[in-house]
Amino acid sequence: MKDTTVAVYIDRLFPQFEPALKAILIENALLKDFQGGDMLMQTGQNMRSTVLIVEGMVKLYREGDDGQEFFMYYLQPGNACALSMICATRQETSEVMAKAIEQTKVLMIPIALMDKLMRDYKTWYYFVMETYRMRFEELLFVIDNIAFKAMDERLAFYLKKQSEDLNTKNLQLTHSEIAVDLNTSREVVSRLLKKMEQAGGIVMHRNYIEYRL
């Protein structure tokens, strides 16, 4: 039963929400499934819902005018997409892409509810503000560690953050995927990974990179 499933997710992942807020979310939220590789949002898409992640993992990108992509951050269970909140509230189109990297379930909250939730439920208001704060700080951290550093330092930071975000030392990333995320060439990534391996920071296996730092 849909409502029962939604209620379980809300109780487990958002225990701070007051009972009345939980009730309105259970009544109105749509539980949606995505497979790995499916797009949740694309640049220019009209946002009709705010997205709450309840299972799986979502990767957010910023797309440049030339079609190049820049990795921003991951969303995990219990996280909300701050950008979907902004776009939904202001009825604007998305300026990012969001892709499921594994089987993922999300709760879609209709934009028609946003004003009411912000006005009537303090726990939702605080949740939205904390989501904005966390993502802003994370973007500043990424900028500090990527935009102003040499490519070898950027790669080292990228691998460290991937390991922390995904909670694993075995990173199933191809050289091409890393190159896209760092907006560089595959050849540069391969060369720098080889140097990192020689220094003992990683071990390159056939299908994954073992992070050792």
Side-chain angles (χ1 to χ4, degrees):
M1 184 176 177
K2 169 185 175 277
D3 289 351
T4 302
T5 304
V6 172
V8 169
Y9 282 126
I10 290 175
D11 282 337
R12 187 173 76 232
L13 296 170
F14 307 100
Q16 73 273 31
F17 290 169
E18 61 256 62
L21 173 57
K22 291 181 179 180
I24 197 170
L25 293 178
I26 291 168
E27 181 180 354
N28 292 277
L30 173 66
L31 183 63
K32 191 168 182 179
D33 290 279
F34 294 90
Q35 300 301 312
D38 288 351
M39 301 299 295
L40 282 72
M41 294 188 296
Q42 299 201 52
T43 304
Q45 176 182 337
N46 289 314
M47 300 303 301
R48 298 183 176 85
S49 303
T50 291
V51 178
L52 306 181
I53 312 301
V54 295
E55 278 189 19
M57 187 173 292
V58 174
K59 196 172 188 178
L60 265 72
Y61 291 88
R62 182 84 162 99
E63 187 178 33
D65 293 336
D66 56 0
Q68 292 182 318
E69 299 170 356
F70 178 79
F71 168 63
M72 296 171 62
Y73 51 76
Y74 288 108
L75 295 176
Q76 301 177 356
N79 293 159
C81 178
L83 293 169
S84 76
M85 289 177 168
I86 295 171
C87 293
T89 302
R90 300 177 64 179
Q91 299 186 28
E92 295 177 347
T93 58
S94 173
E95 296 184 356
V96 300
M97 299 183 295
K99 180 171 67 176
I101 64 170
E102 60 189 27
Q103 187 170 348
T104 297
K105 293 180 184 290
V106 305
L107 292 179
M108 313 290 285
I109 313 299
I111 61 171
L113 285 178
M114 290 299 292
D115 285 344
K116 177 178 177 59
L117 296 181
M118 290 292 287
R119 182 182 66 247
D120 295 347
Y121 301 99
K122 285 188 177 180
T123 56
W124 179 263
Y125 174 83
Y126 292 138
F127 175 70
V128 171
M129 292 300 102
E130 179 64 10
T131 297
Y132 288 165
R133 184 193 65 79
M134 288 174 57
R135 296 309 165 197
F136 180 70
E137 289 183 355
E138 187 162 9
L139 285 175
L140 287 180
F141 184 64
V142 170
I143 290 170
D144 287 344
N145 284 274
I146 291 182
F148 305 122
K149 294 185 181 292
M151 186 56 68
D152 56 345
E153 295 176 298
R154 292 173 58 188
L155 177 59
F157 167 76
Y158 171 85
L159 294 177
K160 179 177 183 291
K161 195 168 190 307
Q162 292 283 323
S163 179
E164 291 173 349
D165 289 347
L166 301 175
N167 194 29
T168 180
K169 293 290 187 180
N170 297 331
L171 305 175
Q172 296 184 342
L173 298 165
T174 67
H175 295 195
S176 295
E177 288 172 331
I178 297 172
V180 168
D181 284 353
L182 294 181
N183 194 19
T184 188
S185 70
R186 184 187 182 282
E187 291 73 21
V188 168
V189 168
S190 297
R191 175 171 54 80
L192 293 176
L193 287 174
K194 186 174 181 179
K195 287 179 63 176
M196 288 186 69
E197 185 174 39
Q198 291 170 345
I202 63 171
V203 177
M204 289 191 288
H205 299 273
R206 181 176 179 84
N207 296 314
Y208 67 94
I209 298 170
E210 181 183 348
Y211 182 73
R212 289 191 167 185
L213 295 176

